[in-house]
């Protein structure tokens, strides 16, 4: 281990055990906050609660939905950026990870076509249209560049896109809204990889989703609303659904979002709660070294696994770096952050695993345009 790695690990260890000053958040609270993506309701104006938490260093990022996008969004995101910059979080991340410029993470879903939080903005073509064009690579590149330009216009720096699912039947879950680039692994990779490269070249992080894939999901199989089980063999999943991820990982995709579907071929838990899918398959077999992020923590597919605190601990234990609190409720994010803290303090969550995740998050955020 190099000297800088030893110093970094020591810093994280000390931070984890540091006691809070009176009236201030502890270092562990602050570091845990960097693992949670918060959301908020109604408009582009962040609630006072969110601004206060951000100033305290307890928020590392947010996700925006359609209701958060209007003419004031860019200025509103600047308010959150300034609150983060004035907080103890940047200095603590530098001290504990060695990363000097971990920016505030501001994300949305700007896939193209029907799934665009910034309505009327690029990419106007859906992934299906990009994949079906005469030159899918050029269309994908234009889509990624367009998504990056749109997000930068609204002061965002991360896109929870593209979808790498390989749809199976016309009108199924991904194909119905044109979210899949194609019905073969090669077709998806041909457009999605240039999308990722172009977007990230502009300083906007890309997210390949939903690993290992929702391409086989039927029209009504939506993990947001309830449990989904996909019965494909492990052979089929690896040869078809995972294949586009090989190219995305080789291209340096910054984040991978896990699916909440259950794939009994490898595990009986949803993929995002499964160490077998996150650690063994994605990291071990495919060699992904970037940041993992959950799908919505309030998803209906998780109802059978406990409340917000329990599912947060299950996801973190499985190897999820970022927990997506997308219920448009600031309290949800804070509940999840506190669950991570209590999990570490009780010993249920691995401190070493948490520390490594913090390093990955900080490194990813240092590459963002602003």
């Amino acid at each position: 281990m190099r000297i800088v790695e030893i110093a970094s690990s020591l810093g994280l260890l000390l931070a984890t055990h540091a006691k809070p000053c009176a009236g201030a958040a502890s270092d562990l609270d602050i570091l845990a906050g960097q693992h949670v993506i918060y959301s908020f309701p109604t408009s582009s104006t962040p609630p006072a609660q969110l601004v206060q938490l951000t100033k305290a260093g307890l928020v590392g990022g947010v996700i925006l939905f359609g209701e958060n996008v209007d003419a004031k969004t860019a200025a509103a995101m600047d308010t959150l950026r300034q609150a983060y910059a004035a907080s103890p979080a940047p200095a603590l991340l530098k001290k504990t990870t060695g990363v000097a410029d971990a920016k505030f993470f501001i994300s949305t879903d700007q896939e193209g076509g029907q799934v665009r939080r910034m309505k009327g903005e690029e990419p106007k073509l859906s992934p299906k249209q990009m994949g079906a064009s005469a030159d899918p690579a050029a269309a994908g590149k234009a889509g990624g560049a367009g998504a990056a330009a749109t997000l930068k216009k609204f002061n965002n720096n991360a896109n929870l896109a593209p979808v790498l699912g390989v749809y199976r039947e016309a009108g199924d879950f991904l194909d119905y809204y044109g979210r899949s680039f194609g019905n073969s692994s090669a077709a998806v990779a041909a457009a999605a990889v240039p999308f990722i490269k172009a977007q990230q070249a502009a300083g906007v992080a890309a997210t390949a989703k939903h690993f290992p894939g929702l391409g086989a999901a039927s029209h009504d199989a939506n993990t947001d609303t309830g449990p989904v089980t996909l019965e494909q063999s492990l052979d089929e999943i690896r040869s078809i659904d995972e294949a586009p991820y090989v190219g995305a990982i080789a291209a340096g995709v910054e984040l991978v979002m896990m699916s909440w579907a259950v794939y009994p071929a490898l595990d009986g838990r949803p993929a995002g709660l499964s160490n077998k899918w996150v650690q063994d398959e994605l990291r071990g077999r495919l060699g992904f070294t970037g940041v993992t992020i959950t799908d919505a923590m309030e998803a209906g597919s998780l109802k059978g696994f406990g409340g917000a605190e329990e599912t947060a601990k299950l996801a973190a234990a499985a190897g999820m770096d970022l927990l997506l609190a997308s219920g448009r409720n600031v309290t949800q994010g804070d509940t999840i952050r506190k669950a991570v803290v209590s999990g570490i303090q009780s010993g249920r969550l691995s401190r070493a695993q948490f520390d490594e995740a913090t390093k990955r998050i900080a490194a990813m955020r240092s590459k963002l345009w602003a």
Side-chain angles (χ1 to χ4, degrees):
M1 185 178 283
R2 292 173 295 164
I3 296 296
V4 85
E5 291 172 332
I6 294 170
S8 175
S9 295
L10 179 60
L12 278 164
L13 183 61
L14 292 172
T16 300
H17 289 286
K19 293 183 179 179
C21 302
S26 73
D27 286 354
L28 177 55
D29 281 318
I30 293 169
L31 293 174
Q34 310 313 303
H35 290 243
V36 182
I37 305 303
Y38 286 68
S39 60
F40 58 96
T42 310
S43 73
S44 62
T45 304
Q49 180 190 10
L50 180 60
V51 176
Q52 290 164 1
L53 288 168
T54 306
K55 284 181 179 177
L58 300 174
V59 181
V62 294
I63 178 173
L64 302 185
F65 291 93
E67 59 263 42
N68 307 126
V69 177
D70 56 36
K72 299 178 181 178
T73 297
M77 294 308 98
D78 205 41
T79 297
L80 285 177
R81 276 210 185 99
Q82 290 174 20
Y84 168 78
S87 81
L92 181 61
L93 284 172
K94 181 179 179 180
K95 174 185 173 184
T96 56
T97 71
V99 176
D101 190 23
K103 299 162 185 89
F104 190 71
F105 184 88
I106 304 174
S107 62
T108 193
D109 298 273
Q110 193 75 2
E111 297 175 12
Q114 291 190 58
V115 184
R116 285 177 293 164
R117 306 311 182 197
M118 288 80 178
K119 298 295 184 186
E121 302 285 347
E122 294 291 341
K124 294 179 180 176
L125 292 183
S126 69
K128 183 175 183 177
Q129 290 171 321
M130 295 179 210
S133 68
D135 188 343
K141 181 179 179 180
T150 295
L151 267 62
K152 291 169 87 167
K153 175 180 174 181
F154 288 90
N155 259 342
N156 283 223
N157 54 23
N159 195 4
L160 301 185
V163 171
L164 296 194
V166 181
Y167 84 88
R168 300 301 204 275
E169 296 179 7
D172 65 14
F173 177 68
L174 290 183
D175 181 60
Y176 185 77
Y177 294 105
R179 299 178 71 193
S180 170
F181 289 98
N183 64 353
S184 73
S185 306
V188 170
V193 171
F195 186 108
I196 290 166
K197 288 181 176 179
Q199 183 173 274
Q200 294 192 163
V204 175
T207 307
K209 64 184 185 184
H210 314 76
F211 187 85
L214 289 174
S218 63
H219 175 69
D220 296 321
N222 185 351
T223 59
D224 283 347
T225 57
V228 172
T229 299
L230 300 179
E231 300 282 1
Q232 283 64 41
S233 69
L234 191 56
D235 239 12
E236 180 178 340
I237 292 169
R238 285 175 170 171
S239 63
I240 297 176
D241 297 290
E242 291 185 16
Y245 287 88
V246 175
I249 291 168
V253 69
E254 293 288 350
L255 301 101
V256 169
M257 178 182 284
M258 298 298 296
S259 165
W260 284 142
V262 173
Y263 305 81
L266 191 62
D267 198 359
R269 282 186 172 186
L273 301 184
S274 167
N275 186 276
K276 291 180 180 179
W277 281 113
V278 181
Q279 302 286 20
D280 298 345
E281 193 73 2
L282 178 61
R283 294 209 185 278
R285 201 179 81 84
L286 296 188
F288 180 62
T289 59
V291 173
T292 52
I293 181 171
T294 70
D295 204 342
M297 289 299 299
E298 68 280 2
S301 52
L302 299 186
K303 296 303 182 190
F305 293 88
E309 297 92 341
E310 177 63 16
T311 52
K313 291 174 183 176
L314 289 172
M320 299 309 303
D321 299 338
L322 290 175
L323 308 178
L324 184 61
S326 54
R328 283 84 149 179
N329 181 344
V330 176
T331 302
Q332 179 199 20
D334 212 36
T335 297
I336 289 171
R337 176 186 60 79
K338 290 173 181 174
V340 172
V341 170
S342 71
I344 293 168
Q345 289 174 333
S346 70
R348 178 175 173 183
L349 297 180
S350 162
R351 187 179 67 233
Q353 183 171 300
F354 173 83
D355 291 351
E356 290 303 312
T358 305
K359 292 177 187 176
R360 286 190 293 268
I361 292 165
M364 176 271 293
R365 283 168 43 186
S366 74
K367 301 173 191 174
L368 303 175
W369 74 274

